[in-house]
């Protein structure tokens, strides 16, 4: 038996032990693997629940719907707006906890109405080693994380997804739009939509790994190291400046360190 087979067996045993599950489902690599395993093992006793909020893009919701349909799992979409929560909008370092708590409470409520015993999410073992205040909400509400419980990291998840032929096997992570705004700067609908449009434009220009960090009216663009030179070419630079200024940014900058996840958390270590 291969290492992957043993890991899949361990994950299956954990998921089967839950009896019935509601998967907190983003449509990404981790939660899609959990949803697939849950559906295959538990059938109608497994459902997927996606939260639609201003922090996610319309394309993300469409992706979640498409991926849930491909898996075959029953899928529910619940509307939640964290911006109505004053503490979240003020953007403290633990905003993820405030948001995750609101999301998961709604997921728990729905699962109770459906008679589902356990709510699970896609947290993997590596997630527990990074700055993720949202994990407090998991403990507070008794949410289970089968990938983490099985000791599976991101590489394991991708390999298992590949074996199961999931379309999400190679998907990159795409955290919520609030991660583009520095801690302490108020989060507004206007800022979120501006970032969404700016990143969408850059992806249309062929930049795959891209973030537009919104520092007040300054856009700090992160692209992969291999695409920095392309972003700096005269034609592309002019097009990007023109588009982002039309969206309301006054200054457009390029981050010379390039694309990296969690760059807004770097200030927390100082």
């Amino acid at each position: 038996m291969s290492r992957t087979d043993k890991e899949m067996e361990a994950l299956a045993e954990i998921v089967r032990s839950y009896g019935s599950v509601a998967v907190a489902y983003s449509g990404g690599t981790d939660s899609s693997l959990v949803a697939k395993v849950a559906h295959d093992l538990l059938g109608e006793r497994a459902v997927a629940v996606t939260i639609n909020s201003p922090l996610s893009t319309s394309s993300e919701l469409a992706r979640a719907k498409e991926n849930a349909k491909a898996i075959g799992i029953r899928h529910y979409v619940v509307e939640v707006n964290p911006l109505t929560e004053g503490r979240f909008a003020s953007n403290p370092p633990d905003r993820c906890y405030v948001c995750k708590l609101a999301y998961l409470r709604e997921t728990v409520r729905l699962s109770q109405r459906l008679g589902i015993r356990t709510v699970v999410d896609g947290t993997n073992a590596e997630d527990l080693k990074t700055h993720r205040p949202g994990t407090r909400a998991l403990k507070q509400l008794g949410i289970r994380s089968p990938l983490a419980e099985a000791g599976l990291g991101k590489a394991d998840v991708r390999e298992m997804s590949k074996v199961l032929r999931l379309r999400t096997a190679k998907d990159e992570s795409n955290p919520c739009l609030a991660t583009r705004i520095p801690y302490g700067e108020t989060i507004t609908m206007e800022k979120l939509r501006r970032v969404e449009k700016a990143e969408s434009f850059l992806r249309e220009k062929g930049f795959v790994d891209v973030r537009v960090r919104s520092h007040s009216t300054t856009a700090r663009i992160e692209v992969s190291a291999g695409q920095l030179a392309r972003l700096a070419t005269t034609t592309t630079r002019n097009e990007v400046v023109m588009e982002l200024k039309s969206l309301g940014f006054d200054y457009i900058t390029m981050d010379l360190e390039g694309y990296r996840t969690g760059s807004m958390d770097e200030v927390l270590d100082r």
Side-chain angles (χ1 to χ4, degrees):
M1 181 182 291
S2 70
R3 179 170 178 269
T4 299
D5 288 336
K6 291 179 181 178
E7 290 174 336
M8 291 182 70
E9 188 175 283
L11 178 60
E13 184 176 346
I14 291 170
V15 172
R16 193 181 291 112
S17 72
Y18 298 147
S20 58
V21 300
V23 183
Y25 187 66
S26 68
T29 306
D30 297 326
S31 61
S32 287
L33 175 60
V34 174
K36 170 64 174 174
V37 173
H39 175 64
D40 286 354
L41 293 174
L42 303 175
E44 288 300 303
R45 290 176 291 145
V47 301
V49 182
T50 298
I51 300 297
N52 184 36
S53 90
L55 305 186
S56 57
T57 66
S58 57
S59 61
E60 287 174 304
L61 178 59
R63 180 188 68 167
K65 290 179 177 179
E66 290 172 3
N67 291 342
K69 183 177 181 180
I71 290 170
I73 192 169
R74 270 194 295 160
H75 187 215
Y76 297 86
V77 177
V78 178
E79 303 288 334
V80 179
N81 185 0
L83 295 180
T84 61
E85 183 74 43
R87 186 178 168 205
F88 175 83
S90 67
N91 203 5
D94 69 342
R95 68 170 175 234
C96 183
Y97 162 73
V98 180
C99 180
K100 185 77 77 174
L101 190 63
Y103 283 8
L104 291 174
R105 276 177 174 161
E106 291 303 316
T107 304
V108 169
R109 289 190 184 105
L110 176 59
S111 70
Q112 291 173 341
R113 291 199 298 271
L114 295 173
I116 299 291
R117 287 175 47 187
T118 307
V119 175
V120 302
D121 81 334
T123 298
N124 65 58
E126 291 175 19
D127 292 334
L128 301 179
K129 302 175 184 178
T130 60
H131 176 71
R132 288 179 180 260
T135 55
R136 280 171 48 208
L138 302 180
K139 295 177 181 178
Q140 186 173 334
L141 296 175
I143 309 303
R144 305 291 294 270
S145 301
L147 300 179
E149 290 176 28
L152 303 177
K154 197 68 176 183
D156 301 315
V157 171
R158 292 195 185 284
E159 182 59 31
M160 292 173 69
S161 298
K162 182 179 177 182
V163 170
L164 293 174
R165 298 182 179 180
L166 288 171
R167 60 173 70 182
T168 53
K170 295 183 179 180
D171 282 2
E172 295 299 324
S173 62
N174 192 24
C176 82
L177 293 171
T179 61
R180 277 62 153 182
I181 301 173
Y183 295 119
E185 182 179 320
T186 302
I187 301 172
T188 67
M189 185 75 78
E190 178 186 8
K191 292 175 183 177
L192 297 174
R193 297 286 74 83
R194 184 167 61 189
V195 166
E196 178 183 1
K197 291 175 182 177
E199 290 188 353
S200 177
F201 173 78
L202 285 161
R203 289 192 178 95
E204 289 173 2
K205 300 297 292 183
F207 295 97
V208 180
D209 295 324
V210 61
R211 295 286 186 271
V212 175
R213 310 292 185 181
S214 175
H215 299 260
S216 185
T217 58
T218 295
R220 174 169 60 86
I221 303 173
E222 297 176 11
V223 297
S224 60
Q227 292 193 307
L228 284 171
R230 178 169 171 260
L231 179 61
T233 60
T234 301
T235 299
T236 301
R237 187 178 73 243
N238 289 340
E239 290 175 347
V240 171
V241 167
M242 183 178 298
E243 177 64 21
L244 268 60
K245 283 196 172 185
S246 76
L247 295 176
F249 288 108
D250 293 327
Y251 303 99
I252 319 300
T253 67
M254 181 173 71
D255 191 318
L256 296 182
E257 287 190 74
Y259 167 81
R260 58 207 185 277
T261 59
S263 71
M264 289 301 196
D265 293 334
E266 293 168 3
V267 298
L268 298 177
D269 299 326
R270 295 175 186 169

